[in-house]
């Protein structure tokens, strides 16, 4: 997936890009950055984990439990996966679901039932622990913002701490009372955080300060 994304970026004629990756996308953007470091300027990793992160072997179990349950209506799956169970979290989730239906024309095709199992398999392979699993993180020298919710039930919040500790210029933001979809629950907060963090880096401060 990383190699395909690099080929696509280059086909567009872009010399350097900023990347935002959420969930499995947060794993893919790490791989893109490792494969083509000169192509990437800044990086946001949201609700993801490193290769061989602690507890990553449990992600497959959590994903099968969450995505294998029955929801009525089916789209309420996202209330469980992305939003905290608090009243505020569930209210934000319902607003998110409303936003997803605003566009009536030109919508992407609906995801078929082959997607989730393929993603779970890929995440399972990514999560296998090996000696030196985190070494690649130290090669990511781009200013990096690592973001997660305080209780990510899909990809444990602990994974974000590991990335912040190992990526040289990384800053970590954990949003309170939030789950896997913190950026959906608090979109305005994420925009403000992003701008503030990267402004500091532009002034010459390290992202970890």
């Amino acid at each position: 997936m990383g190699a395909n994304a690099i080929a696509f970026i280059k086909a567009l004629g872009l010399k350097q890009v900023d990347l935002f990756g959420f969930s499995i996308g947060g794993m893919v953007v790490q791989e893109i950055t490792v494969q083509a470091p000169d192509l990437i300027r800044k990086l946001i990793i949201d609700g993801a984990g490193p290769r061989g992160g602690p507890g990553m072997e449990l992600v497959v179990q959590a994903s099968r439990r969450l995505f294998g349950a029955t929801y009525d209506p089916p789209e309420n799956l996202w209330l469980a996966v992305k939003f905290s169970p608090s009243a505020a979290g569930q209210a934000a989730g319902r607003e998110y679901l409303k936003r997803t239906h605003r566009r009536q024309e030109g919508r992407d095709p609906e995801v078929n039932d082959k997607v989730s199992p393929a993603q779970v398999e890929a995440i399972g392979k990514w999560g296998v622990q090996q000696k030196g699993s985190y070494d690649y993180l130290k090669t990511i020298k781009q200013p990096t913002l690592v973001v997660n919710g305080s209780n990510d039930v899909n990809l444990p919040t602990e994974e974000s701490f590991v990335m912040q500790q190992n990526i040289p210029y990384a800053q970590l933001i954990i949003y309170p009372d939030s789950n896997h979809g913190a950026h959906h629950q608090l979109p305005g907060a994420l925009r403000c955080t992003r701008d503030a963090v990267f402004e500091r880096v532009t002034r010459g401060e390290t992202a970890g300060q």
Side-chain angles (χ1 to χ4, degrees):
M1 292 173 73
N4 288 342
I6 291 167
F8 181 72
I9 292 168
K10 290 181 176 180
L12 292 175
L14 301 173
K15 302 302 181 183
Q16 200 171 50
V17 298
D18 298 342
L19 293 180
F20 172 92
F22 167 57
S23 196
I24 192 173
M27 302 170 194
V28 175
V29 297
Q30 294 174 59
E31 188 61 36
I32 293 170
T33 307
V34 170
Q35 290 186 28
D38 292 340
L39 191 61
I40 310 307
R41 187 179 66 136
K42 299 174 183 177
L43 191 61
I44 300 178
I45 304 173
D46 181 8
R51 291 182 196 157
M56 284 288 285
E57 70 278 4
L58 301 177
V59 171
V60 172
Q61 298 176 28
S63 296
R64 286 175 176 160
R65 174 177 53 80
L66 287 165
F67 288 91
T70 301
Y71 300 89
D72 185 20
E75 65 180 12
N76 281 356
L77 159 70
W78 303 116
L79 298 181
V81 172
K82 292 186 175 183
F83 298 89
S84 75
S86 71
Q90 291 298 292
R94 287 189 289 274
E95 289 302 314
Y96 161 78
L97 292 177
K98 290 179 183 177
R99 292 196 300 271
T100 64
H101 292 293
R102 284 179 183 169
R103 178 186 293 179
Q104 295 300 313
E105 297 181 358
R107 294 178 62 88
D108 290 339
E110 292 296 324
V111 175
N112 64 47
D113 58 6
K114 295 181 180 180
V115 173
S116 180
Q119 287 197 359
V120 169
E121 181 182 1
I123 291 171
K125 291 179 179 178
W126 174 267
V128 174
Q129 292 188 342
Q130 300 178 21
K131 184 178 180 180
S133 287
Y134 306 153
D135 290 350
Y136 79 99
L137 292 172
K138 301 183 189 302
T139 71
I140 298 177
K141 301 299 176 63
Q142 288 80 357
T144 303
L145 176 61
V146 181
V147 180
N148 210 336
S150 57
N151 185 29
D152 189 330
V153 299
N154 201 32
L155 284 154
T157 303
E158 180 184 4
E159 311 292 342
S160 296
F161 286 96
V162 172
M163 288 188 290
Q164 187 273 329
Q165 290 293 311
N166 287 276
I167 298 174
Y169 300 101
Q171 179 158 319
L172 173 65
I173 300 294
I174 301 294
Y175 289 105
D177 185 31
S178 54
N179 187 357
H180 189 54
H183 64 291
H184 292 308
Q185 187 166 329
L186 303 161
L190 179 56
R191 283 194 297 270
C192 292
T193 301
R194 174 203 63 194
D195 295 343
V197 168
F198 289 138
E199 181 182 352
R200 290 173 61 187
V201 174
T202 302
R203 293 201 305 265
E205 300 177 20
T206 64
Q209 287 180 316

